[in-house]
């Protein structure tokens, strides 16, 4: 049935039914990502509009530290790379071992990212950078933690896929699930690049 | 005691019961207001109790659960959407009637309901009509019709479809609860901060609004994704995009709007929730907030929303004009392009909703011109529809009555819109009843008449019998007259300077026109009563009105090629078509009843899923907990939502097989019935002689 290919990793005909159904599911997930992209885009625009409303509170220079944020960026980028390894493992190796290992590495990198990010927020709060302090901080906390929540949700999804592998092995649903999770995973990377550029670099420039 | 109470019930106290308004009343008007509120709440509770009683008494819990609530069949989900829409329509109409009465009695002060109560009425009326009447109605129609029109077996993601319905229903349930455990928001359907901020509105009202709107918005986004993927990926062989029936085109454009326009709403309500629950300063007056962000975000949703509402109705009208003129649609390509233009332009005009809020004159001018541009593709459509009728054999069946009324009334509404699109005129009129008259003029003849036309048109496909035409005409003419009497006076009141949302006033010049408008409201209530009677009469006489052959109107598109009601599997084999008006072509060649070319095959259909109803209950619980600060309930609801979704991922045995032999038997029985069922000419299509087996237009002898 499926002769069209979708953007991103394609499974190939030797995956049988998973390859057939992947096209529709992946297309649907791309469409979902588009609407999610609108949410992040609007929150970024709102942040840009609000970034001058300091209300006498602390501004970006008092609150942001580039070093941990840069490390976080690297963590997220590398987790995208390792997630790609997991997907390639799934595509070319009939046994899930390779895929599981790379998936665990990706989850670990993403969770360290979330942990560091929470630490950033705590540090900021210690300097008076709480969302209630100003419009600037409100829009910051509406945008950045939402990305963190997305990353956390993606990790939970990854754990759910590991659970499904434990129960059913590397079956069709796991495969198409991995394709969709992959799109989310890389998408969150792109969103983070946006946040890193607009919020952190922009704020400190 | 009170600690325990607030631990369990949060800030919910007995004062939330509407009967307390009677007890605390200090004058006659407050007493009347309390009685109105209590009666409405009583009706809601009685309705719910009766439903539970009837389900239990007739042992329907099992069948309803198995055949409806957990069903992922797009046809059943579509029907459930429309049932929801009609129930909510009844409530919103009753509210409209009370509001019109109040504006008559409000002359010189006084009236039926308190100012606070009036403010809740216009807020729930708008919220319900947009999110819980119009949206479910059109989503239901698209759900039922679109997959059949493109020759598909179901939508792309059947379980997600059921989940979308669940979220929409959850929002509706929340609104019904707000009738009993008050108050609802007083911020209008747009919920503008800072008025809806905690500083001015600390009670649960705006929270009801936030969560009801957010839940339904999420449901709508998911529906949009589902429909888009269905249309792009599941068209039958031979159906190119430019061969799709126009209803599918408008469904596609509406769905694209849903995907891109609903996220701004989610962002707007979500940020407002952050303000209210966590003390953020997104839209507050102080603290560095900026309420203009809300206006931009909300109308970035709100304006495309009016095209989400109107485009499916345009699709219905296209089918109606073509069917009841026995002609192919005039200017198909122009209609498609116009639809796409409208979809794009709808995102470029949102600023016209706040011309008076202090942006520069140049910006206002640009957005004013952009707004007027939408008149061009809309005008193209109007001419195409008129030319479809030209030299056709026009039959004034009930859907056609709505459609013709739409042509005339909608044009008047469009003209008043062009007036408002001029910023300098908008400065004078924007907050008067002129505006109210304008958007009701677009949404009642535009959207609602279209939905009712579609309901009448496709009802026989869904249930196997046509709706009684006599009561249908009565309803249609009463709707038209009621609309004219209820809303044309509001244009006059607007010119006289009467502000919208006014509970009492001291300008006697407004009084006479408010009486005319009330008369219109009475006619509209009568129209709705006719619709109810029509449904009752039609169900009573369903044997006589039956159209088992499934083509009562000599229609032209694929959904009419199958029996009525449509079988679970839609088509015995996925059809292969050529060109537009696929079914009309099949009928002309005499191929409409042939067996599938390469025989019958087993059909794989998705199994029922409880995910939709489970998410509906748990998200309602979560939202209710959030409204009343019952944190345990909110957390419980959220956890169940989350756990159910994860658990769903572990489901594997998701399909069942319908045997080729069963499909064959059913289809052959249908074909055999065709041999014994007389074909009827179009002049008899609204009589009991109609068995759904029309004489094709090309064969009918014109006498
Ligand atoms: Cu608008």
């Amino acid at each position: 049935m499926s002769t069209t290919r979708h953007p991103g990793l394609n499974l190939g005909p030797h995956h049988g039914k998973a390859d057939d159904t992947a096209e529709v599911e992946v297309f649907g997930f791309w469409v979902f990502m588009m609407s999610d992209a609108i949410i992040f885009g609007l929150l970024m625009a709102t942040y840009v509009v609000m970034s001058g409303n300091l209300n006498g509170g602390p501004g970006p220079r008092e609150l942001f530290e580039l070093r941990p944020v840069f490390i976080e960026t690297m963590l997220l980028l590398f987790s995208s790379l390792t997630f790609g390894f997991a997907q390639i493992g799934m595509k070319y190796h009939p046994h899930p071992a390779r895929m599981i290992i790379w998936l665990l590495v990706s989850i670990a990198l993403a969770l360290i990212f979330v942990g560091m990010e929470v630490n950033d927020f705590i540090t900021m709060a210690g300097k008076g950078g709480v969302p209630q302090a100003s419009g600037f901080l409100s829009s910051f906390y509406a945008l950045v933690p939402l990305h963190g929540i997305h990353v956390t949700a993606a990790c939970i999804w990854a754990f759910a896929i590991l659970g499904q592998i434990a129960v059913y092995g590397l079956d069709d649903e796991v495969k198409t699930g991995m394709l969709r999770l992959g799109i989310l995973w890389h998408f969150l990377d792109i969103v983070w690049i946006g946040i890193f550029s607009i919020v952190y670099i922009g704020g400190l420039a | 005691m009170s600690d325990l109470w607030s631990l369990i019930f949060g800030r919910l106290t007995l004062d939330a019961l509407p009967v307390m308004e009677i007890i605390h009343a200090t004058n006659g008007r407050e007493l009347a207001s309390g009685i109105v509120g209590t009666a409405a709440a009583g009706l809601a509770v009685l309705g719910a109790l009766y439903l539970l009683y009837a389900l239990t008494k007739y042992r329907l819990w099992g069948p309803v659960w198995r055949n409806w609530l957990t069903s992922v069949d797009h046809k059943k989900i579509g029907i459930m959407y429309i049932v929801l829409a009609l129930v909510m329509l009844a409530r919103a109409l009753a509210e409209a009637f009370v509001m019109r009465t109040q504006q008559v009695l409000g002359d010189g002060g006084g009236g039926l309901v308190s100012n606070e109560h009036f403010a809740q009425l216009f807020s729930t009326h708008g919220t319900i009509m947009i999110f819980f009447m119009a949206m479910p109605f059109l989503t239901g129609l698209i759900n039922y019709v679109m997959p059949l029109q493109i020759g598909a077996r179901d939508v792309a993601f059947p379980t997600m479809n059921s989940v979308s319905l669940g979220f929409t229903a959850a929002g509706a349930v929340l609104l019904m609860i707000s009738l009993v455990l008050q108050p609802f928001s007083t911020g209008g359907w747009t919920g503008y901060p800072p008025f809806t901020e905690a500083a001015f509105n600390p009670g649960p009202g705006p929270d009801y609004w936030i969560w009801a709107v957010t839940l339904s918005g999420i449901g709508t986004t998911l529906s949009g994704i589902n429909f888009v993927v269905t249309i792009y990926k599941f068209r039958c062989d031979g159906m190119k995009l430019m061969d799709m029936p126009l209803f599918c085109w408008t469904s596609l454009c509406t769905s694209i709007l849903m995907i891109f326009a609903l996220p701004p709403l989610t962002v707007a309500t979500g940020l407002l929730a952050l303000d209210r629950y966590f003390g953020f300063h997104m839209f507050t007056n102080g603290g560095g907030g900026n309420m203009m962000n809300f206006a931009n975000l909300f109308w970035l949703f709100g304006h495309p929303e009016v095209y989400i509402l109107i485009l499916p109705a345009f699709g219905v009208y296209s089918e109606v004009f073509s069917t009841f003129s026995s002609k192919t649609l005039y200017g198909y390509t122009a209609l498609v392009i116009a639809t796409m233009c409208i979809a794009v332009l709808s995102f470029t005009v949102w600023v016209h909703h706040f011309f008076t809020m202090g942006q520069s004159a140049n910006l206002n001018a640009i957005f004013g011109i952009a707004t007027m541009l939408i008149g061009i593709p809309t005008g193209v459509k109007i001419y195409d529809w008129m030319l479809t009728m030209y030299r056709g054999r026009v039959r004034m069946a009930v859907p056609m009555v709505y459609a013709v009324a739409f042509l005339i009334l909608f044009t008047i509404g469009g003209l008043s819109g062009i007036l408002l699109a001029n910023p300098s005129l908008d400065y004078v009129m924007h907050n008067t009843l002129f505006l109210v008259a304008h958007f009701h003029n677009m949404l009642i003849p535009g959207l609602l008449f279209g939905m009712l036309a579609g309901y009448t048109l496709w009802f026989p496909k869904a249930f196997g019998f046509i709706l009684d035409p006599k009561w249908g005409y009565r309803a249609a003419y009463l709707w038209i007259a009621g609309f004219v009497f209820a809303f044309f006076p509001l244009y006059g009141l607007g010119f006289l300077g009467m502000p919208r949302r006014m509970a009492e006033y001291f300008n006697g010049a407004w009084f006479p026109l408010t009486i005319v408008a009330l008369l219109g409201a009475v006619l509209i209530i009568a129209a709705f009563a006719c619709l109810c009677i029509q449904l009752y009469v039609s169900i009573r006489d369903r044997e006589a009105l039956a159209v088992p052959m499934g083509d009562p109107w000599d229609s032209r598109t694929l959904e009419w090629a199958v029996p009525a009601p449509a079988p679970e599997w839609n088509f015995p084999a996925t059809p292969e078509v050529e060109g537009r008006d696929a079914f009309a072509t099949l009928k002309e060649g005499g191929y409409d009843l042939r067996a599938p070319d390469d025989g019958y095959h087993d059909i794989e259909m998705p199994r029922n899923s409880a995910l939709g109803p489970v998410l509906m209950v748990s998200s309602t619980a979560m939202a209710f907990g959030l409204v009343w600060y019952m944190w345990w309930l909110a957390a419980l609801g959220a956890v169940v939502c989350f756990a159910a979704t994860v658990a769903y991922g572990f489901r594997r045995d998701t399909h069942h097989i319908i045997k080729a032999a069963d499909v064959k038997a059913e289809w052959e029985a249908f074909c055999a019935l065709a041999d014994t069922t007389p074909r009827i000419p179009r002049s008899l299509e609204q009589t009991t002689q109609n068995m759904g087996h029309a004489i094709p237009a090309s064969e009918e002898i014109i006498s």
Side-chain angles (χ1 to χ4, degrees):
Chain A
M1 161 209 164
S2 158
T3 48
T4 33
R5 310 277 76 193
H6 51 79
L9 185 86
N10 284 275
L11 284 173
H14 61 283
H15 288 274
K17 194 155 181 287
D19 186 44
D20 285 341
T21 51
E23 219 258 317
V24 168
E25 291 192 13
V26 166
F27 178 64
F29 204 77
W30 274 113
V31 177
F32 170 68
M33 287 287 82
M34 281 198 261
S35 82
D36 212 24
I38 300 284
I39 290 186
F40 279 112
L42 290 171
L43 286 173
M44 285 181 197
T46 308
Y47 172 82
V48 171
V49 172
M50 301 282 277
S51 56
N53 300 7
L54 295 184
N55 191 37
R61 282 177 193 285
E62 288 94 22
L63 296 172
F64 296 164
E65 286 171 45
L66 207 51
R67 223 174 73 95
V69 177
F70 181 74
I71 298 172
E72 286 157 32
T73 308
M74 287 300 131
L75 284 168
L76 215 53
L77 287 176
F78 273 103
S79 87
S80 252
L81 181 70
T82 55
F83 197 95
F85 289 155
Q87 283 188 317
I88 289 171
M90 171 184 80
K91 179 169 177 176
Y92 292 108
H93 300 275
H95 297 295
R98 230 175 255 258
M99 171 188 156
I100 292 172
I101 290 168
W102 283 117
L103 197 53
L104 285 170
V105 174
S106 309
I107 294 171
L109 290 170
L111 286 178
I112 299 171
F113 166 87
V114 173
M116 284 187 72
E117 190 173 41
V118 170
N119 188 49
D120 285 353
F121 296 152
I122 294 170
T123 317
M124 280 175 67
K127 298 179 198 163
V130 292
Q132 292 79 6
S134 67
F136 152 66
L137 280 158
S138 293
S139 60
F140 172 88
Y141 279 102
L143 169 63
V144 183
L146 184 70
H147 174 270
I149 291 169
H150 269 70
V151 174
T152 313
C155 289
I156 294 170
W157 188 359
F159 278 120
I161 283 183
L162 288 173
Q164 291 177 34
I165 294 175
V167 182
Y168 304 106
L170 195 56
D171 70 350
D172 289 354
E173 275 83 354
V174 167
K175 288 176 185 170
T176 53
M178 273 297 282
L179 292 185
R180 280 173 289 152
L181 177 58
I183 294 169
L184 177 65
W185 208 275
H186 303 309
F187 168 82
L188 290 175
D189 238 13
I190 296 169
V191 172
W192 179 258
I193 299 293
I195 291 175
F196 182 68
S197 319
I198 293 171
V199 176
Y200 290 101
I201 306 272
L204 293 172
Chain B
M1 175 62 203
S2 82
D3 272 358
L4 185 65
W5 176 279
S6 65
L7 203 61
I8 298 173
F9 294 107
R11 56 174 167 170
L12 179 61
T13 63
L14 288 177
D15 279 337
L17 292 170
V19 72
M20 297 309 273
E21 203 182 348
I22 300 180
I23 293 170
H24 296 313
T26 56
N27 59 39
R29 185 173 167 199
E30 282 173 21
L31 188 66
S33 188
I35 291 170
V36 170
T38 309
L43 273 177
V45 172
L46 279 180
L49 286 178
Y50 178 75
L51 192 67
L52 296 180
Y53 165 76
L55 285 174
T56 311
K57 185 180 173 202
Y58 299 106
R59 298 174 178 281
L60 289 173
W61 282 106
V64 166
W65 177 259
R66 279 191 305 276
N67 299 339
W68 291 93
L69 295 178
T70 59
S71 171
V72 296
D73 181 341
H74 71 97
K75 300 182 285 299
K76 287 184 174 167
I77 290 175
I79 292 169
M80 286 189 278
Y81 264 116
I82 293 173
V83 169
L84 175 71
L86 291 174
V87 170
M88 298 309 277
L89 175 65
R91 173 174 166 194
L93 281 181
E95 288 171 342
F97 177 74
V98 175
M99 281 192 284
R100 290 269 73 89
T101 311
Q102 170 62 35
Q103 285 202 322
V104 169
L105 299 176
D107 177 34
L112 187 61
V113 294
S114 65
N115 293 356
E116 171 83 6
H117 194 155
F118 187 78
Q120 288 181 43
L121 280 173
F122 65 65
S123 303
T124 47
H125 172 80
T127 307
I128 288 176
M129 280 298 198
I130 300 285
F131 293 102
F132 300 105
M133 191 287 289
M135 293 300 283
F137 212 141
L138 68 92
T139 312
L141 276 190
I142 296 176
N143 243 313
Y144 194 94
V145 176
M146 181 271 288
L148 281 164
Q149 281 195 333
I150 60 172
R153 292 220 193 279
D154 207 328
V155 293
F157 308 110
T159 308
M160 190 168 91
N161 203 11
S162 160
V163 169
S164 304
L165 172 65
F167 282 133
T168 308
V173 168
L174 207 58
L175 258 157
M176 293 314 276
I177 292 175
S178 81
L179 202 54
V180 182
L181 298 171
Q182 294 179 343
F184 192 76
S185 173
T186 51
W189 82 277
T190 54
Y192 264 19
F195 180 72
T196 46
E197 290 283 358
F200 303 97
N201 243 320
D207 299 322
Y208 268 127
W209 178 81
I210 287 173
W211 301 120
V213 164
T214 307
L215 283 173
S216 86
I218 294 169
T220 305
T221 312
L222 296 179
S223 287
I225 295 170
N226 220 336
F227 295 151
V228 161
V229 178
T230 307
I231 290 174
Y232 278 126
K233 298 290 178 191
F234 286 83
R235 276 169 290 127
C236 65
D237 286 341
M239 186 176 281
K240 297 195 276 293
L241 277 174
M242 287 307 278
D243 291 338
M244 289 198 304
L246 212 83
F247 183 75
C248 292
W249 265 109
T250 58
S251 301
L252 175 63
C253 289
T254 289
S255 307
I256 293 173
L257 292 184
M258 286 174 176
I259 293 162
F260 290 106
L262 268 298
L265 175 70
T266 310
V267 171
T269 55
L271 293 180
L272 184 60
L274 288 177
D275 275 9
R276 290 182 58 84
Y277 285 84
F278 298 110
F280 277 45
H281 291 290
M282 296 304 308
F283 311 128
T284 52
N285 276 336
N290 181 354
M291 78 75 62
M292 285 311 296
N293 285 339
F294 185 89
N296 277 297
L297 288 169
F298 186 87
W299 289 111
L300 210 45
F301 145 77
H303 192 83
E305 169 70 10
V306 306
Y307 292 92
I308 292 176
L309 297 176
I310 209 78
L311 285 179
F314 283 178
V316 174
Y317 288 129
S318 302
E319 306 296 315
V320 168
F321 282 121
S322 162
T323 300
F324 292 100
S325 307
S326 294
K327 265 180 74 186
T328 188
L329 204 56
Y330 181 89
Y332 174 91
T333 313
L335 281 166
V336 171
I337 294 172
T339 305
M340 290 195 276
C341 285
I342 291 174
V344 172
L345 284 173
S346 73
F347 279 103
T348 65
V349 302
W350 78 96
V351 171
H352 70 212
H353 292 272
F354 41 96
F355 276 155
T356 60
M357 291 199 202
Q359 58 271 14
S360 74
N362 284 339
L363 193 77
N364 279 356
I366 290 165
F367 278 88
I369 292 165
T371 303
M372 292 180 204
L373 286 181
I374 293 188
I376 297 170
T378 315
V380 167
K381 291 188 153 214
I382 300 271
Y383 282 109
D384 278 335
W385 288 319
M386 294 200 295
L387 287 165
T388 302
M389 289 190 287
Y390 179 65
R391 288 196 166 170
R393 295 198 53 214
V394 176
R395 296 106 73 196
M396 287 305 282
V398 175
M400 202 61 171
V401 173
Y402 285 114
V404 171
F406 150 80
L407 277 186
I408 300 161
L409 298 173
F410 192 78
T411 308
I412 298 172
L415 292 176
S416 67
I418 296 285
L419 284 181
L420 286 170
N422 185 330
S424 51
L425 289 176
D426 186 70
Y427 262 75
V428 183
M429 314 221 255
H430 77 280
N431 214 16
T432 69
L433 282 173
F434 189 90
L435 181 84
V436 178
H438 163 67
F439 69 71
H440 283 87
N441 197 345
M442 303 316 272
L443 290 179
I444 292 177
L447 164 95
L448 189 66
F449 287 8
M451 295 297 108
L452 293 173
Y455 161 78
T456 317
L457 181 72
W458 283 302
F459 187 93
K461 181 53 62 184
F463 295 102
F465 54 97
I466 62 170
L467 285 166
D468 181 77
K470 193 170 68 188
W471 285 99
Y473 282 119
R474 286 173 189 164
Y477 288 125
L478 280 169
W479 267 113
I480 295 163
F483 162 75
V484 168
F485 279 104
F487 292 100
F488 283 179
L490 301 194
Y491 281 122
L493 286 169
F495 279 128
L496 293 173
M498 182 170 180
R500 64 198 288 206
R501 297 171 174 168
M502 194 154 237
E504 46 183 349
Y505 55 90
F506 300 88
N507 181 345
W510 297 339
F511 180 65
L513 284 175
T514 60
I515 291 186
V516 181
L518 176 62
L519 175 72
V522 172
L523 293 177
I524 288 177
I525 297 284
F528 186 74
C530 286
L531 281 179
C532 297
I533 297 169
Q534 182 196 36
L535 190 59
Y536 168 75
V537 169
S538 310
I539 293 174
R540 190 192 61 197
D541 301 341
R542 59 188 176 280
E543 311 267 288
L545 296 169
V547 287
M549 288 307 299
D551 179 28
W553 322 117
D554 183 28
S555 303
R556 317 177 65 79
T557 41
L558 271 186
E559 76 270 30
W560 304 100
V562 293
E568 188 198 349
W569 31 263
N570 289 0
F571 298 94
T574 31
E576 208 169 303
V577 300
E578 240 172 76
R580 290 168 206 153
D581 292 334
F583 181 49
T585 318
L586 284 178
K587 276 194 287 188
E588 272 161 35
Y591 302 131
D592 51 321
L593 290 167
R594 74 178 165 189
D597 286 339
D598 57 344
Y600 297 89
H601 296 284
D602 287 354
I603 296 174
E604 198 184 72
M605 296 301 288
R607 267 189 210 284
N608 284 9
S609 164
L611 185 64
V614 166
L615 286 184
M616 183 208 143
V617 172
S618 52
S619 63
T620 306
M622 178 179 76
F624 186 76
L626 285 169
V627 168
W628 289 103
Y629 296 178
M630 297 156 71
W631 305 122
W632 64 272
L633 186 63
L636 182 69
V639 167
V640 174
C641 277
F642 198 76
T645 312
V646 173
Y648 178 76
F650 280 81
R651 224 176 81 134
R652 282 302 180 270
D653 185 20
T654 50
H655 287 79
H656 70 110
I657 301 289
I658 297 171
K659 288 264 179 309
D662 296 342
V663 177
K664 183 172 186 230
E666 206 171 320
W667 188 253
E668 282 176 355
F670 171 62
C671 295
L673 183 68
D675 293 336
T676 57
T677 307
R679 289 181 179 269
I680 50 112
R682 279 161 289 166
S683 53
L684 296 177
E685 70 187 350
Q686 294 201 84
T687 67
T688 51
Q689 274 162 277
N690 189 349
M691 305 300 280
H693 205 196
I695 300 176
S698 54
E699 289 169 30
E700 195 176 351
I701 299 139
I702 299 156
S703 51

